């Protein structure tokens, strides 16, 4: 028997105990993300195909972000009331239909209306998708489960924009048709599959709180533990979103790297995540949340901060490797921590609030980074990201560990999927 075949040496062995539904979700996510290409080319579509100005296109993208900001908490609350799987099905099917009709819109008013609709419906998927893992996966498997979900996302995203570039050369309309069709296909997969209609992996007190109409638990925004955690998430997300704007301007404009070299750095980021994120999170599943999250935040700060001293492609690649490891630790750990601290009846609400913070960072981060880069120069920008990362790491190191997470390592790994309703 080979060393790899021996489960004791297989770094992917922790995936074996994941329920069947998690694999179905990951398949649907992979298909959906493999067709996700509209957002990456929306600005080009608006300027080149419809003839809108750059400023108008920027405003439309801002409205997309605003729609996502509203959709996140609403989706979380609806996931708690209606069940996350229903929200995911509706999000995929309805957003797919909107994308199919989007090319018919020619006026600015219709484009704005459809963009907002597409944003609200499409972004409603994220909180629901994160919420459902709390219903399906035991605490000791959550980091592995969330890492598998991110693996599906990154595999799909490595395909979507690349294919979108070829389709855009033929016709921008094909971007919307393919994106819409894959979204609908992913939704139909979730419609065909069976999922639990009740909450799993909760203690007796939580179950009573979830079903009792007389129980009044504080809202998520009143939970000091959640607010403290989100205060650490915001600077990490602001640092991460520098890769969407200021990082590209710095690498191409200041270091004089080619656009192809910049694209290769994204490929490096994707490959590291595909091959390493799941094994890393299986190996560190027993770590306290504060250790995982503090390390992830610190690596984000070191990675982006090191750009202040980058001088060529290879030095920039080292910085990408560093913050990619931060990404692999931080985001599965973030989802697992939220699941553990949320009351079972409020998991969707907690996930929605976290995604709202991510949306806020998306609106602040790129614009603020470009402003600092333009007025104060690259060293000021990248050293600021280092400071933000270190500050976030200090906050994360002070997190209170949830009781369920502390008990998680002693739980057995199930060998079968949870019971499901027909």
């Amino acid at each position: 028997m080979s060393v790899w075949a021996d489960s004791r040496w297989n770094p992917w062995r922790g995936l074996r105990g994941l329920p069947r539904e998690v694999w179905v979700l990951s398949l649907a996510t992979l298909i959906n993300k493999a067709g996700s290409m509209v957002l990456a080319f929306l600005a080009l579509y608006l300027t080149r195909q419809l003839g809108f100005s750059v400023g108008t296109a920027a405003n439309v993208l801002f409205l997309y972000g605003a729609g996502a900001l509203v959709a996140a908490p609403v989706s979380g609350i609806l996931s708690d009331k209606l069940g996350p799987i229903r929200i995911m099905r509706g999000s995929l099917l309805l957003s797919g239909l909107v994308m199919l009709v989007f090319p018919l819109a020619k006026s600015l008013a219709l484009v704005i209306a459809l963009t907002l609709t597409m944003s609200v419906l499409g972004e409603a998927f994220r909180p629901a998708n994160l919420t459902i893992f709390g219903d399906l996966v035991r605490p000791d498997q959550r980091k592995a489960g969330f890492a598998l979900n991110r693996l599906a996302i990154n595999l799909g995203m490595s395909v979507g924009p690349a294919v979108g570039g070829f389709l855009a050369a033929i016709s921008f309309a094909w971007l919307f048709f393919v994106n819409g069709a894959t979204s609908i296909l992913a939704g139909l997969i979730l419609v065909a599959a069976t999922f639990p209609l009740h909450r799993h992996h909760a203690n007796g007190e939580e179950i009573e709180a979830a079903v009792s109409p007389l129980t009044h638990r504080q809202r998520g925004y009143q939970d000091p533990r959640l607010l403290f955690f989100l205060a650490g998430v915001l600077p990490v997300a602001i640092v991460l979103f520098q890769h969407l704007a200021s990082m590209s301007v710095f690498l191409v404009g200041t270091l004089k790297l080619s656009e192809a070299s910049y694209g290769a750095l994204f490929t490096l980021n994707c490959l590291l995540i595909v091959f390493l994120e799941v094994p890393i999170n299986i190996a560190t599943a027993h770590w306290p949340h504060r250790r995982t999250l503090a390390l992830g935040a610190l690596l984000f700060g070191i990675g982006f901060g090191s750009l202040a001293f980058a001088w060529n492609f290879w030095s920039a690649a080292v910085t990408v490797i560093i913050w990619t490891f931060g990404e692999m630790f931080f985001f599965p750990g973030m989802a697992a921590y939220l699941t553990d601290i949320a009351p079972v009846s409020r998991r969707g609400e907690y996930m929605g609030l976290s995604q709202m913070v991510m949306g806020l960072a998306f609106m602040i981060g790129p614009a603020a980074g470009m402003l600092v880069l333009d007025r104060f120069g690259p060293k000021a920008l990248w050293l600021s990201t280092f400071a933000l990362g270190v500050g976030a790491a200090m906050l994360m190191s002070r997190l209170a560990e949830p009781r369920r997470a502390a008990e998680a390592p002693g739980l057995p790994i199930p060998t079968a999927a949870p019971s499901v309703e027909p």
Side-chain angles (χ1 to χ4, degrees):
M1 180 181 294
S2 68
V3 171
W4 183 260
D6 187 343
S7 62
R8 292 174 301 175
W9 298 97
N10 185 349
W12 299 77
R13 66 188 181 276
L15 297 182
R16 292 180 180 175
L18 292 177
R20 175 187 61 84
E21 293 87 352
V22 170
W23 293 96
V24 174
L25 286 169
S26 298
L27 173 62
T29 300
L30 174 62
I31 292 173
N32 180 43
K33 292 302 179 182
S36 295
M37 53 191 72
V38 164
L39 190 57
F41 291 89
L42 186 57
L44 287 176
Y45 172 75
L46 296 175
T47 54
R48 294 187 181 181
Q49 184 73 23
L50 298 186
F52 295 160
S53 68
V54 173
T56 299
N59 289 334
V60 171
L61 290 175
F62 177 84
L63 289 175
Y64 183 96
L69 197 67
V70 173
V74 173
S75 170
I77 293 172
L78 291 178
S79 294
D80 289 330
K81 293 184 178 297
L82 304 177
I85 190 61
R86 292 189 176 100
I87 303 303
M88 293 167 66
R89 289 166 175 164
S91 170
L92 291 170
L93 295 174
L94 295 176
S95 64
L97 291 175
V98 171
M99 289 182 194
L100 292 179
V101 302
F102 200 106
L104 300 178
K106 304 300 180 183
S107 68
L108 178 59
L110 281 176
V111 167
I112 290 175
L114 287 176
T115 298
L116 283 171
T117 304
M118 181 173 67
S119 172
V120 170
L121 292 175
E123 296 299 326
F125 180 85
R126 297 176 189 269
N129 186 38
L130 293 172
T131 301
I132 199 169
F133 281 88
D135 298 346
L136 298 174
V137 182
R138 297 182 71 92
D140 59 324
Q141 296 175 294
R142 282 175 185 155
K143 288 181 182 178
F146 287 121
L148 176 63
N149 184 55
R150 278 177 43 83
L151 173 62
I153 292 172
N154 281 280
L155 279 175
M157 292 300 293
S158 68
V159 174
V163 174
F166 291 102
L167 293 178
I170 301 173
S171 171
F172 278 105
W174 277 104
L175 297 173
F176 294 93
F177 296 151
V178 172
N179 204 154
T182 53
S183 180
I184 291 172
L185 176 59
L188 292 176
I189 289 174
L190 296 187
V191 169
T194 53
F195 287 86
L197 298 180
H198 55 279
R199 298 290 192 183
H200 284 271
H201 308 310
N203 59 35
E205 179 184 349
E206 287 183 323
I207 293 175
E208 181 181 357
V211 300
S212 174
L214 301 179
T215 300
H216 299 284
R217 301 187 71 96
Q218 65 182 1
R219 307 300 301 184
Y221 59 81
Q222 297 172 320
D223 185 344
R225 183 166 50 175
L226 174 64
L227 296 178
F228 185 86
F229 173 65
L230 295 181
V233 170
L234 181 61
V236 171
I238 288 175
V239 171
L240 170 65
F241 288 134
Q242 297 310 309
H243 80 278
L244 295 177
S246 56
M247 179 177 162
S248 61
V249 173
F250 169 71
L251 293 178
V252 176
T254 304
L255 297 191
K256 306 302 180 183
L257 301 185
S258 66
E259 287 80 0
S261 296
Y262 175 63
L265 294 176
F266 275 92
T267 302
L268 174 63
N269 167 264
C270 181
L271 289 175
L272 288 171
I273 290 173
V274 166
F275 287 106
L276 296 179
E277 183 166 311
V278 170
I280 283 175
N281 280 274
I282 291 173
T284 61
H286 63 286
W287 282 15
H289 287 299
R290 65 169 69 95
R291 182 192 302 174
T292 302
L293 293 165
L295 178 59
L298 181 61
L299 290 173
F300 267 119
I302 294 174
F304 279 94
S306 297
L307 282 171
F309 309 102
W311 68 93
N312 60 10
F313 172 82
W314 297 109
S315 58
V318 171
T319 70
V320 171
I321 291 172
I322 294 171
W323 65 256
T324 298
F325 271 90
E327 186 179 357
M328 291 189 285
F329 280 108
F330 191 85
F331 287 108
M334 170 183 167
Y337 182 76
L338 284 166
T339 303
D340 282 345
I341 67 170
V344 70
S345 59
R346 296 276 174 82
R347 282 177 180 153
E349 181 183 346
Y350 276 54
M351 293 298 182
L353 290 172
S354 73
Q355 292 304 297
M356 185 176 71
V357 169
M358 294 295 294
L360 180 62
F362 179 81
M363 297 176 69
I364 296 173
M370 291 292 290
L371 180 64
V372 173
L373 181 64
D374 180 57
R375 292 192 177 182
F376 303 103
K379 273 193 167 35
L381 171 63
W382 303 126
L383 292 178
S384 296
T385 62
F386 174 73
L388 287 173
V390 171
M394 294 176 64
L395 288 175
M396 293 301 174
S397 69
R398 305 285 295 177
L399 287 177
E401 289 292 325
R403 183 169 59 86
R404 292 196 302 279
E407 296 173 351
L411 294 171
I413 295 178
T415 56
S419 60
V420 296
E421 299 291 338

